[in-house]
Every structure is written in C-alpha cells, then in structure tokens.
Amino acid sequence: MLMHEVLVVGGGLAGLMAALVASQKADVAVLSKIYPTRSHSGAAQGGFNAALGEDDSIESHIFDTVKGSDYLGDQDAVEVLCSEGPEVILELERMGVPWTRTPEGRVAQRSLGGAGFPRACFAADFSGHVVLHTLFEQVLRRGIKIYPEWHLVELLVEDGQVAGVLAYDLARARLEVIRSKAVILATGGYGRAFAKTTNAHANTGDGMAIAYRAGAVLSDMEFVQFHPTTLYGTNILISEAARGEGGYLRNYDGERFMVHYAPQKMELAPRDVVSRAIFKEIKEGRGFEGQYVHLDLTHLGEALVAERLPQVRDLAIRYAGVDPARAPMPIEPAQHYSMGGVRTDVWGMTSLPGLLAAGEVANVSVHGANRLGGNSLLETVVFGRRAGHRAAQLARQEPWPTLSAATITRAYESWSSLLAGRGQGVQEDSTFAIRQEMTNLMTNQVGVFRVGSELEDAVNRLAVLKERYQRLKAPGGMQPFNYALMDYLEVGYLLDLCEVIARGALRRTESRGAHYRLDYPQRDDQNWLCHTFVRRGEDGPEFSNGPVKITRYAPQERGY
C-alpha cells in the first residue's frame, strides 16, 4: 500500500499548482491518467485575466464576471478570484512564465469576450501550454512524486471520510491502494460527453463522476459552455484571442452579423451570446452550405497574425487548408467547458471530508451560468493554490483517517472482478456504439438551444443507454495498456454525468447564460435565481436548490 499525506489527482494547471503549494508543508504526489504535460490545460490559448492595467480595477473585473455569469456566480468566490488574480500572475512570472510584453516592457494584455478592459495576460496564443510546462518544471525541481498513466477508479470512504483512493496502473495492469489524509481532484471537464467538442479525448469527467458515486454534491451541471469559434468539421478550438485581436464574424452575405445581437460588444460579447447568434444565422439561411460562418482575420495583416496568433494560423492551415492571414476561416460552435462540477467552498473543500477539488472539475461558482474567456485559466491557479494550502493544513493538523481492511478488500475484489471481464456480456453491443449514440444525443438535444420535449426524450434514451452499458462485459481484461478497458470505464462515467446534465436542464424551466430553453426563453429570478445541487440517490440523481451568494451586485437585465 502506498501512502502520501496529500494526493493530487490530475496533472493540469490546477493540479500542479495545488501540488506545488501543498509540497511546501506536506508529502505530496500527483496521479494522472495521462502524462502531465499532455493535460488539456495545454490547449488553452487566450490568456489569464487579471486587473493589471492602469485604467482597469479589481472592482471592474468582479462586475464583468458577475454580469457574465448572468448573476448566478457566487459573489464572494468571484471576489476571491479577481482579488488574487494580479498576485498569482506575478507569482507565475517569478516561476519563469515568459508573458508577452508591451513595447514598454510591461505584461501585455488583450481583450476577451465580456470584459470591460484588455485584461488577459498571455504568451502569444500558447498561454496554457507555456504555464503548464513552467509549473511542471517546478514540480520536477521540487521532487514531487508523479504517477503517470494511473487511473483513479474509486475514492475510498470510511465513516463518511475520504481516506485514500483505488487507482489502476495502466502500464502494469494492476490495482493499487493509495492512503491519503487529503485528496485533491483536479481532473478537468467532461467535454467528450458531446459529439462536437473542443476537448481532448482524455476529458471524460472521471473525477466528477467518481466523486458523485462516492456521495459528493455536484452543482449547476446543466450549464454547459459552447465555444463560438471552432474549426468547422474538426471542432479544433480557434481562440477567442482571434476576436480579441480584432477578428470579424461574417455571414454568407459578408455582413458582420453581431451588430444585430450585441451592438456594443460585437464579436467580443460573451460566448453564450455569440454562440446563439452564430446558430441563428445558420438556421435562418445566412450560413455557408447551411453549416458554418466565417471568422475573418485578413484585415489584421500577416505580421500581427504571425506574432500574436501563430497557433491559430498553424491549426487553420493544417486542419482547414486556410491561411487566416489571407482568407476567412470556416467556424461553428462546439462544447467547450463545464460551468458545473463538484461543489466546493472558496478553499476547495467539498461536501465529503478529506476531499477537495479545483479547476474545471470543481464548482466554486465563479462562472455561474456562463464563463468569461480568460477566467477559467485564472481559476485553475487561484483555486489550485488555495486547495493546496488547505490540503497541507489538513495534513499537518489531522491524524491519518481510518481505512479498514474490509473497505480495501471490498473495493479491490469488486474492481478486480469487473476489470478482469468476468461474467457474461452482450456480444452484439459495444462501448463504441453506446458512446456514439450518447454523444450525438447530447449534441443534438442538450446543446445550445434546448426544448422540454427533446430534453425529456434525451433523459429516457440515456436511461436505455445506461441499461445497455450495464450488460456489457469489460473488454480484454487486465493487461498492460488495455485502452479498450479504459474506454469502457470512461463511457460509464460519461453516462452518469449525461443523466445529471439532461435532467438538470429539463428541471430548470428558464433561460440563463449558457442554458437556453426555447420553451422558456426568459430569465426567471423569482423561481430560478438558485444553484442546482444534486446527489446520487438509490434511484438516480436527487436534485435540490441552493442559495446564490450576492454581496455587491443585485441582478439586473444583462445586455451587451
């Protein structure tokens, strides 16, 4: 049995930041299903918001974030995010992050959607990649133990307290128990629940689903962000930085159509507004081939595109055959981010003692119903740092939690039997078939525009898919690098989360932020200015409402 005072699950920005901070006072290890530098954080392009500009202020950042959340963000958590932003940006700089500079030598900042000032600190359009590698270098320098390609399969809970994890080492095909005083989940989002997504293949919501199965509360899962600009066909992300640098959205007639939807902010309106505008243009016949619109950077000039947007240019040339410095790019919206997740307080503490969470897996509710560009990267390092502090504090103050032989034996035998593929399975069905039906269903019926009848149908069809999944036999058994086995586990996690997302969307009879109901097109503060909490019950998800913390800004009409 392995033991670490603090175990961080996930090797992206939130996980590595938490590990670095916790390691100052505790024995820490990082467990990751992929090698840390392959984490999806590395795909983030746009930047990290922080009020550094002379005309900008923390107060403005707070207001923009609360308004962007459609007043569902908890304002105490938003204040923490925005207040600690400038400090953590400078901390990253001292670690070695080479932020892009102004001619005067200051940290350069660009505009992203929904922000009142240029606020996103960036490193060209490789912002996530650069910070991820810097943090990983610091983790290596600190000598923190890493378990790469180890999959979390269960949180071990004894008397209501998380006392460790059961993990699967993919290379050795072996289950291992790791005891811990504090477990920090930093496992990212669930984008692969949708057929059209910008997320990496690894983003299957493992941490969220495993915490839910262990009894943790999830919150606001019906709020799913769809990024307006992904390459048509492949859904590779085209950063909001492209619009921040001055890119135009044009329909088939060459018109900058955002003038009809957000005349003040135009292309830099929040993502929920822009995504709906693009879908409406396409649906009403003003798209190209009825499928996409154009993102036009040609007026920016080749030098600016090469200096500020080199990755965007490379991706467009490689995957769409278009040089954006010379021709418009074909783009369409796709799933991008989860506003919901494991419910936490501002220190990352969840409803399960001994379990913390940070980053996209968590819901500290700084994004509410819609996230602003540049705020999620900031969230990873601000709340990753806080979770690391609190976990180290727990490790110093608390004794080792009880973990009985009975709990270990029950978990080990149950998972050994499942992963070995013992028992009878249905031969004519497959993980692939279930995954394909599930992701198409989520994209087509739980997407940008939602309606009650389709959501109800989605809930019923997801129940059928779960029944089919239960009859499958784990493929191939426990052998080294059996990715089919991992795919089987991941589809099980996604089915649990899809059920929660679809049921939550059906339950919330209003439109707010990224959740837009065609049959309930208005925001309804009287009945729905509340969080959606959900626990796993014996007969499925059990929903309840939770209060929204409002400290400074009373809800008002949201216009751009």
Side-chain angles (χ1 to χ4, degrees), residues 198-328:
T198 63
N199 282 199
H201 288 278
N203 288 30
T204 49
D206 307 14
M208 264 183 231
I210 291 168
Y212 172 63
R213 291 176 181 181
V217 172
L218 304 184
S219 181
D220 296 339
M221 293 293 287
E222 65 270 34
F223 294 101
V224 181
Q225 182 163 84
F226 297 85
H227 198 288
T229 55
T230 75
L231 281 181
Y232 171 65
T234 60
N235 299 121
I236 293 171
L237 176 66
I238 297 298
S239 172
E240 197 162 293
R243 283 173 284 136
E245 296 295 344
Y248 297 154
L249 288 168
R250 298 187 189 277
N251 61 19
Y252 182 81
D253 298 321
E255 180 189 27
R256 287 180 67 190
F257 56 83
M258 285 308 300
V259 70
H260 302 300
Y261 304 93
Q264 296 180 33
K265 287 289 186 182
M266 295 292 286
E267 284 83 359
L268 287 178
R271 292 172 178 175
D272 58 328
V273 176
V274 182
S275 289
R276 283 195 291 273
I278 292 173
F279 264 119
K280 190 173 181 186
E281 289 295 304
I282 294 170
K283 186 177 180 181
E284 295 181 356
R286 295 184 291 278
F288 294 84
E289 302 174 17
Q291 301 290 325
Y292 60 87
V293 297
H294 274 160
L295 176 57
D296 187 359
L297 309 184
T298 56
H299 56 285
L300 300 180
E302 190 161 347
L304 186 145
V305 173
E307 179 190 347
R308 293 291 182 94
L309 303 167
Q311 185 177 191
V312 164
R313 186 179 193 184
D314 183 60
L315 291 171
I317 291 173
R318 285 176 184 270
Y319 296 102
V322 172
D323 182 347
R326 301 181 180 182

